[in-house]
Amino acid sequence: SPHCDFARVVSLLQRLAGSTPVIAISTAGELCSASQSLYKATGASWSSVVVQVFPADLFQSISIHSVGLHNEDIRKGAPSKAHDARIDAIARELGTIRTPFVIDVRDTIAFALVDGVSASENYFMEAVYRSGKFPCAFVGGSAGGKLDFKNTYLYDGRQILENHALVAFMKLAPGRAYSIFKTQNFKKTGKSFVVMGADPDRRTASGVLEGSEIKPSAS
């Protein structure tokens, strides 16, 4: 929960884990099967911590890396870096990653977590594709935080990060396999429109198409 003392929680988890690799993120809510709702109730504030533990014989090796997102201008509210320049900067950081094993789509998964208020998930994945260096599936998501949208936090086993992506390359042990599934949690409203103008850095829409007319959008 973003209402927990993140630094204290990850310090305690790392102490309990010993030499076992630990990564952590803040979240805007947790999935829960204890009630009819898909999510655990939060209210105005909550203090839960969800721990996922994987068996020692599942992976033969894990390689954890942090990647700067070069989004300082976005966080200041004044995006100035060109689209391709931002992607190239992230791709250069990705180019420095070295894993102690060969990345193979048949037995390697990249678990990627991104600062949720960085507005850079799309830039990060474009940089991954542009680098052409990682022949495996990327799964994961974004860190969440309070509804003030000021901060989300990542922990890579060494330090607490913002404005970064965290990638754990996980090589499965012999005899282990994986598959990927995806779900969407939404309800149809019966309304739809075509966005004609948008700013991906500020995450705003400036115009929508209604019939044959483009109308300004308020958000």
Side-chain angles (χ1 to χ4, degrees):
S1 165
H3 298 277
C4 294
D5 183 335
F6 190 79
R8 179 173 178 273
V9 170
V10 296
S11 176
L12 290 171
L13 288 174
Q14 188 67 75
R15 193 181 312 162
L16 290 169
S19 61
T20 300
V22 174
I23 60 175
I25 62 170
S26 58
T27 176
E30 300 96 46
L31 296 174
C32 180
S33 61
S35 65
Q36 292 183 341
S37 173
L38 182 64
Y39 292 95
K40 179 179 177 180
T42 60
S45 178
W46 73 103
S47 59
S48 56
V49 176
V50 176
V51 180
Q52 292 179 292
V53 181
F54 297 94
D57 62 354
L58 180 60
F59 303 111
Q60 62 173 291
S61 187
I62 296 174
S63 187
I64 300 171
H65 304 268
S66 59
V67 180
L69 296 173
H70 299 269
N71 63 314
E72 295 81 3
D73 56 329
I74 296 176
R75 289 296 287 265
K76 291 177 181 177
S80 58
K81 193 169 292 184
H83 180 92
D84 281 347
R86 197 184 310 277
I87 295 171
D88 285 340
I90 300 172
R92 283 193 295 273
E93 293 215 16
L94 288 166
T96 66
I97 290 177
R98 301 289 183 270
T99 59
F101 49 79
V102 175
I103 295 175
D104 188 323
V105 68
R106 294 169 295 184
D107 64 11
T108 310
I109 310 165
F111 182 48
L113 301 167
V114 182
D115 181 335
V117 292
S118 67
S120 297
E121 292 91 343
N122 55 325
Y123 293 119
F124 172 72
M125 286 311 302
E126 285 190 61
V128 168
Y129 299 137
R130 184 169 295 185
S131 72
K133 186 178 177 180
F134 309 107
C136 67
F138 275 67
V139 300
S142 300
K146 299 176 183 178
L147 293 181
D148 58 10
F149 300 103
K150 290 183 178 180
N151 303 96
T152 67
Y153 301 105
L154 306 166
Y155 174 68
D156 66 356
R158 297 175 296 276
Q159 58 185 329
I160 295 171
L161 302 166
E162 292 184 82
N163 303 316
H164 280 71
L166 173 62
V167 186
F169 292 96
M170 304 181 294
K171 195 170 192 69
L172 293 166
R176 295 286 192 163
Y178 74 92
S179 61
I180 298 172
F181 70 92
K182 179 180 179 181
T183 60
Q184 296 285 2
N185 177 33
F186 65 91
K187 293 181 180 179
K188 291 185 177 181
T189 64
K191 298 179 181 179
S192 64
F193 51 85
V194 177
V195 175
M196 300 300 293
D199 184 336
D201 295 328
R202 294 183 173 88
R203 298 201 166 172
T204 57
S206 55
V208 298
L209 182 65
E210 290 189 16
S212 59
E213 183 179 359
I214 298 177
K215 294 188 177 182
S217 172
S219 61

